[in-house]
Amino acid sequence: MRRLPPPSVRTVGWLLVVAAFAVVLLMHYGITGMQQRFVGTPDLAWAGVGAVLTAVSAAWAAFALSVPGRRAAWAWLPLPGALLWIGASGLGCLRQTVLQVTAPGTAVSTAHQSVDCLVFIIAFSIPLSVLMVFLLRRAYPLRPVLTAVLVGLASAAASASLLEICHAYDAAATDLLTHAAAVALVVAVNAAMGGRLLSKA
Amino acid sequence: MPHSLTANGFMGLDSALPPWTSVRKIVQAEATTASASESPDQRRARLMAAAQSGDRRAYERVLADSILLIRVAARRQGVAADRLDDVVQETLITVNRVRHTYDPSRSYDAWLTAIANRRAIDALRSRGRRDSRELHDDFAFDNHADLADASAATEQLQRAQRLRAAIAELPPGQREAVEQMGLHERSLSEAAELTGRNTGALKVNLHRALKALRERFNGEP
């Protein structure tokens, strides 16, 4: 019998896969575009930090909740990161709309271009969610649906973080709504399917 | 009986486990020799950690030691006394399946209680589902005991109606005799006085009427 590694170790394992995706994207798109955007408009950088924190904390919470005897309060762990992510994105939206300051190297996306963001987030969320569900199935989540919600949040936040590498659109209302819709969709699908996949009779 | 089922159900999974009775004795002996500084939770955590490393005796001890904890957790969830053994069995099966998820640096009791709570809730839910489909005998009796009486009363009513119809179809003299002496329970002399017929004629008419009715209902000549 092989003992289950602690949640922190399993979280790091999953994050390594996310990091591998990031490396591939950085090699393809380069780092300069992202640097310019983040230096020119710090709110975008803070939103990115918020997304990364949400991904890390939601993944950690999901792995912690998959062990019997851990408190359900773990589910609140992603809240600070999520607040930073949402708050900074909202500030970016205000800056763009009210002050008319657009981040360097970006444009305000059209509805059609926003769909690309939606597809990106969903496309990356699928393998990340599948991997995490696979890892969690070795454990024993006593709250399968809550755990699945955290899986969805971690995957969507990680995908949104990866999107920042190649995201040439500013934080306008259309873009934010698309991101929010993508995250909500990923979380909802995970809650609907993951709950069943994670519950063991 | 449920207790032997508990043991057997688990034995099916791990045939090397001795019956619980003998395990209990081992645990009692273990409890008396345990050092005073070690809490029961710490002892179980140590045993489970050893079990994870492949110590079969430690596993047997910690499982036997878990039964009381499982029962307490199930009771707290509101499981009825006659279902406690089922929850113990289900929890022990789950523990055997997910024992790799126990982290020895954390409380064994919290880990076990979380699993026992889940199995207890499952038991309560399956009970609820069954109760919504099935009726208990006492419930059925309380609510439907009148059903048989009601049908009997209807049958009796129908029989009376048939009898009344049959009497109505009798010849006038016979009908009069049955009505006066059979239905109104009058004596022969009272009936003779009321109808103005002599007692002999009434007797003959009653006799013929009863014979006719008997023939009609029982098919006797």
Side-chain angles (χ1 to χ4, degrees), chain A residues 28-168:
Chain A
H28 190 264
Y29 290 96
I31 202 165
T32 40
M34 188 171 70
Q35 271 178 334
Q36 275 181 353
R37 286 197 299 278
F38 284 2
V39 173
T41 43
D43 56 81
L44 284 184
W46 283 116
V49 170
V52 172
L53 283 179
T54 306
V56 174
S57 53
W60 196 325
F63 283 119
L65 279 182
S66 71
V67 180
R70 299 280 183 140
R71 293 161 59 88
W74 273 93
W76 294 107
L77 192 66
L79 188 66
L83 286 177
L84 177 63
W85 184 18
I86 295 165
S89 301
L91 279 179
C93 188
L94 281 177
R95 160 184 60 73
Q96 208 283 323
T97 317
V98 180
L99 302 177
Q100 300 282 317
V101 177
T102 302
T106 66
V108 174
S109 63
T110 64
H112 183 69
Q113 288 162 329
S114 288
V115 174
D116 292 346
C117 297
L118 188 91
V119 171
F120 184 100
I121 291 178
I122 291 170
F124 275 87
S125 292
I126 291 170
L128 290 176
S129 296
V130 168
L131 174 66
M132 198 185 270
V133 167
F134 175 75
L135 291 173
L136 287 170
R137 273 179 66 82
R138 243 214 104 204
Y140 183 51
L142 289 174
R143 298 178 188 82
V145 176
L146 183 60
T147 310
V149 166
L150 289 166
V151 170
L153 186 60
S155 308
S159 304
S161 308
L162 292 172
L163 179 61
E164 283 302 321
I165 295 170
C166 52
H167 195 233

Side-chain angles (χ1 to χ4, degrees), chain A residues 171-199:
Chain A
T174 48
D175 195 56
L176 287 188
L177 281 176
T178 319
H179 287 208
V183 173
L185 187 70
V186 170
V187 171
V189 169
N190 264 287
M193 287 173 61
R196 217 164 300 160
L197 288 170
L198 292 174
S199 60

